[in-house]
Amino acid sequence: MDVGQIVWLFFLLSAVQPALKQKMLENARQRLIARIERRRKTRVILLVHRQETMNFLGFPVMRYIDVNDSEEVMRAITMTDKDVGIDLVLHTPGGLVLAATQIARAIRKHKGKVTVFVPHYAMSGGTLIALAGDEVVMCPHAVLGPVDPQLGQYPAASLVKVLARKPIDKIDDETIIMADVGEKALLQLRETTRELLTRSQTPEKAKELAEILAMGTWTHDFPITVEVAQQLGLKVSPEIPDDVLDLMGLYPQPVRRQPSVEYLPIRREAEPAVPARPAARSEPHA
């Protein structure tokens, strides 16, 4: 084999290798999903958004919940017998309110038990979906977030407060219009959140939680940890199964030139303590 053939072979393998690696990951995910379904006797659905990197320009693009996601999740729910439980794995920064609401309402109406697993984070629209289930199971360090609506770069709750804090003649027309839309969005999200929470909460508690989560109590990126969620009265558990975490490992972040986090990808167990040797005693000499 001459040098030219070796070069062409190298380029051919370089072109095929990413596709082979992706196919191997997909097969590994399918096998693990099937194993979890057999063990838990449920339908496993994943909604996972990773930050993608454009091949040519190399800039990051954040993925989020969109109508394509809602179509796929609703199709999976439709293909699941009404008495079969659903395990929904969420890893998302949020997204379109319409798409998240469609998924959440489909979850809310499913007859079988719905368990939502949050390995790392499910913010905004992801939290809205999580609230529709019977129980949320999180990694001890995972977070949820508020579900208050955002209008462009501004929180709807903050826009509404502008009208109450400034004379109307000091506010421009665009802000007044945005505040009016913001008020409608807040009321809609509060009612939607209350409706979704009635699956796992009493009507009174659902109303209370909807007010806290949807009406701008915190900033939109406020981390609702397991402890905060439990204090609020949400049905949250920190006992996430190992195989769900293993499944997330099969959705790797696109590799950059230099990784920012590195470790040995194996479980590290505590080693048993080695008993100390007794000190040697000096023996008297004859």
Side-chain angles (χ1 to χ4, degrees):
M1 183 178 294
D2 60 26
V3 176
Q5 290 176 317
I6 293 175
V7 171
W8 276 111
L9 182 60
F10 171 78
F11 280 113
L12 179 62
L13 292 175
S14 298
V16 172
Q17 189 266 345
L20 291 176
K21 184 178 180 181
Q22 182 63 29
K23 189 62 178 178
M24 290 172 65
L25 271 176
E26 291 173 3
N27 290 338
R29 289 199 294 259
Q30 291 294 321
R31 289 194 299 269
L32 185 49
I33 289 172
R35 192 171 78 200
I36 296 172
E37 288 187 341
R38 287 195 300 270
R39 179 175 65 82
R40 292 179 55 85
K41 296 180 173 56
T42 59
R43 158 82 76 178
V44 175
I45 304 172
L46 289 98
L47 181 56
V48 176
H49 292 132
R50 286 294 199 186
Q51 181 174 280
E52 305 291 345
T53 302
M54 301 296 289
N55 291 331
F56 177 62
L57 297 176
F59 58 86
V61 177
M62 182 64 73
R63 295 188 60 198
Y64 56 87
I65 302 170
D66 58 22
V67 291
N68 293 321
D69 293 326
S70 62
E71 289 176 8
E72 290 296 327
V73 175
M74 289 190 293
R75 185 176 296 115
I77 294 172
T78 302
M79 294 171 61
T80 305
D81 188 275
K82 62 182 181 356
D83 294 318
V84 173
I86 290 177
D87 289 338
L88 178 63
V89 181
L90 283 178
H91 178 79
T92 177
L96 298 178
V97 173
L98 172 61
T101 301
Q102 283 186 294
I103 295 171
R105 284 182 170 149
I107 290 292
R108 166 73 179 79
K109 292 181 179 179
H110 185 71
K111 185 178 178 181
K113 182 180 179 182
V114 177
T115 304
V116 179
F117 294 99
V118 181
H120 304 299
Y121 66 92
M123 304 297 286
S124 190
T127 299
L128 191 68
I129 295 170
L131 297 176
D134 295 289
E135 180 187 21
V136 180
V137 183
M138 302 167 62
C139 176
H141 307 296
V143 294
L144 303 173
V147 299
D148 57 305
Q150 310 293 296
L151 298 181
Q153 60 182 321
Y154 300 115
S158 298
L159 287 168
V160 171
K161 287 180 180 178
V162 170
L163 297 185
R165 294 178 178 178
K166 291 183 68 175
I168 193 70
D169 59 340
K170 301 292 184 182
I171 306 174
D172 63 272
D173 291 346
E174 183 179 355
T175 302
I176 294 174
I177 293 170
M178 290 183 67
D180 178 63
V181 175
E183 184 177 17
K184 293 181 175 70
L186 284 166
L187 296 177
Q188 289 168 192
L189 255 296
R190 183 179 66 182
E191 176 57 25
T192 298
T193 305
R194 183 204 62 77
E195 171 197 337
L196 298 173
L197 281 164
T198 54
R199 179 179 177 111
S200 61
Q201 304 284 344
T202 64
E204 295 76 16
K205 187 64 177 178
K207 183 178 179 180
E208 174 192 334
L209 288 171
E211 187 74 25
I212 296 170
L213 295 169
M215 297 301 286
T217 304
W218 304 290
T219 59
H220 195 60
D221 61 351
F222 176 77
I224 299 177
T225 61
V226 173
E227 293 77 14
V228 172
Q230 290 175 337
Q231 290 169 9
L232 289 173
L234 293 170
K235 294 186 177 178
V236 171
S237 165
E239 304 297 329
I240 195 164
D242 287 341
D243 46 13
V244 173
L245 296 177
D246 292 339
L247 189 56
M248 279 303 303
L250 298 176
Y251 286 85
Q253 184 74 18
V255 179
R256 292 168 288 187
R257 293 183 179 179
Q258 179 63 41
S260 57
V261 178
E262 193 163 358
Y263 59 94
L264 296 179
I266 58 174
R267 297 194 182 280
R268 187 72 169 85
E269 306 290 348
E271 297 179 1
V274 178
R277 290 184 176 181
R281 292 179 297 176
S282 57
E283 298 292 335
H285 295 279

